[in-house]
Amino acid sequence: MFSSSGYEALGIPKKKHPKDTIWKKGMKFQGFSKVDIAKFLGFDIPVPLRNPLRDPPVDTWEDTFKQDIHVLILLASSDEEALIDTVIEIQNDIEQFGLHVIGIEDGKVIRNDKNQVIEHFGHPDGVSQPLFYTSDYDTFLKQQNIFNDKKQLAKYGDPKAPLNLVLTKDPLGNGDYSFGSYMVYRKLEQDIIGYKTKVKELAEAIGVEEKLADQMVIGRDTDGIPLGNLRTEPADGIVPDNFDFSHKPSDSLKVCPFQAHIRKANPRTSESILGILHDGVPQQRIRRIARRAVSFGPDIKALEENDCKDSVGLLFLCANADLGLQFVFMQTIWMNNPHFQKLNVGQDTILGQHIGDDKPPEQKWIDSKGNEKKFLFNDVVHMKGGEYFFMPSMHMLQNLAA
């Protein structure tokens, strides 16, 4: 996959470059970018925002990402030795062409005792993905024991998705079936000690056990069960993925908080502020991304043996058809916004970002007595660098040399 500067380095005429303006600018560009928030504010035109992602300054990024990255090559295998041999082989081939490898990031899947893929905070990762193929969708319906009807699927955040959610026409493709995807790559470092400390402080502040506080922060149990559905036990290894948030106030601690990560990043419900619809479900569905991430650093057991001092986190990758409509909107208008989906609920607990010492407002939580408490849960994930890429069609790659 190629960055905008990668296309320029290849000498490809600009009229043949992918059209997305955010991809063209690159992730280092933190000036004014037009972000599609028309549905959010009810305007007919995009609104310019400064550094909408609120990423840290580029001079604080890791050295690899400060440089001009032209190409990202992604290699994966269940055979680690074979993978290492392939990396060395490709690296030698690249250098023979006078090119330089400016960085290599190693990732490795972490699993819990139920064989679920998890991240270093201990929760399942990559849950509730868009499903593009009928076979995958039918499997989902069967596993969740639900019928293909709108009312029932609404509780599950219907995962069915069209291919144009992640595919867009490749200018260097051939015919009607040459597509590519805009890819977002970000290295996200997880502060394990900070996370555990804040979970404990939150639990004390609202008078609940740490396990429940942890569930409220993420929106899921460590089994992957959504917070509002924790009374349902997993059956045959299948995790219930029901997002019915319509609980009575007396059950408020079992309702997923608006600021919980899974509810900010994939809301699944329509809410309004002062009568203004806050991005209804149909609009939310076209903003979904296909996430593909892998952990870096030692596994959880090795990490704990070293008192959680190692650098760990996620090598985050996601596919989009439109960066402004999907990833940038999601980070800006959903996760960074303290007023989505309700006024003053606060930022996303995990991926909400702020610039420097400009701290976001405290989030609203419900304590064990049903009272509202404010507590700021943030700064447990730190962006260390990244870039936007375009993964082109096979036709483009096959004809690149020509």
Side-chain angles (χ1 to χ4, degrees), residues 10 20 45 58 63 105 166 181 183 207 238-239 245 302 309 345 352 377 393 398:
L10 289 170
D20 193 291
I45 58 173
V58 176
D63 290 342
E105 298 289 346
V166 294
S181 295
M183 308 299 293
I238 303 303
V239 175
F245 298 133
K309 295 178 181 178
V345 296
F377 198 108
S393 63
Q398 291 167 351

Side-chain angles (χ1 to χ4, degrees), residues 354-371:
H354 62 91
I355 300 174
D357 295 328
D358 185 17
K359 293 286 185 181
E362 295 174 311
Q363 295 119 337
K364 290 182 179 180
W365 305 85
I366 302 299
D367 68 13
S368 58
K369 297 179 180 179
N371 299 316

Side-chain angles (χ1 to χ4, degrees), residues 29 31 35 51 66 69 128-129 164 171 187 195-196 219 235 248 323 368 389:
F29 178 75
V35 181
N51 190 5
K66 292 178 184 178
I69 304 172
S128 290
Q129 295 276 17
N164 64 7
K187 185 173 184 179
Y195 180 82
K196 290 181 176 181
K248 297 178 180 179
L323 290 169
S368 58
F389 295 93

Side-chain angles (χ1 to χ4, degrees), residues 169-338:
K169 289 287 288 184
D170 184 351
L172 288 174
N174 181 39
D176 296 330
Y177 301 102
S178 288
F179 297 89
S181 295
Y182 293 104
M183 308 299 293
V184 178
Y185 178 72
R186 291 161 78 82
K187 185 173 184 179
L188 305 176
E189 186 178 61
Q190 295 174 261
D191 180 359
I192 308 303
I193 295 176
Y195 180 82
K196 290 181 176 181
T197 299
K198 291 203 171 185
V199 166
K200 182 178 181 179
E201 291 174 350
L202 173 62
E204 293 174 350
I206 62 177
V208 300
E209 294 182 359
E210 289 183 30
K211 180 178 177 63
L212 178 56
D214 178 57
Q215 294 164 351
M216 295 172 74
V217 167
I218 301 296
R220 293 184 187 271
D221 187 20
T222 50
D223 286 330
I225 302 175
L227 180 56
N229 199 37
L230 285 178
R231 291 176 178 174
T232 306
E233 295 296 328
D236 299 325
I238 303 303
V239 175
D241 210 23
N242 184 333
F243 294 91
D244 184 1
F245 298 133
S246 57
H247 293 265
K248 297 178 180 179
S250 59
D251 292 328
S252 58
L253 284 176
K254 299 182 179 65
V255 178
C256 185
F258 284 111
Q259 65 270 23
H261 174 58
I262 70 164
R263 200 163 183 185
K264 278 281 193 178
N266 191 0
R268 302 176 179 89
T269 57
S270 297
E271 299 290 342
S272 62
I273 294 179
L274 302 179
I276 301 174
L277 185 65
H278 231 212
D279 213 25
V281 173
Q283 287 298 317
Q284 293 170 8
R285 290 178 59 75
I286 67 172
R287 302 193 192 284
R288 290 176 296 169
I289 55 178
R291 293 161 288 133
R292 300 293 183 267
V294 66
S295 293
F296 69 85
D299 61 28
I300 294 178
K301 182 178 179 180
L303 179 67
E304 291 175 346
E305 289 175 351
N306 194 32
D307 297 326
C308 300
K309 295 178 181 178
D310 301 282
S311 176
V312 298
L314 286 174
L315 302 176
F316 175 83
L317 189 72
C318 71
N320 311 246
D322 185 310
L323 290 169
L325 189 69
Q326 293 171 272
F327 170 75
V328 173
F329 188 100
M330 183 181 295
Q331 181 69 54
T332 304
I333 306 305
W334 288 355
M335 295 191 285
N336 286 350
N337 181 7

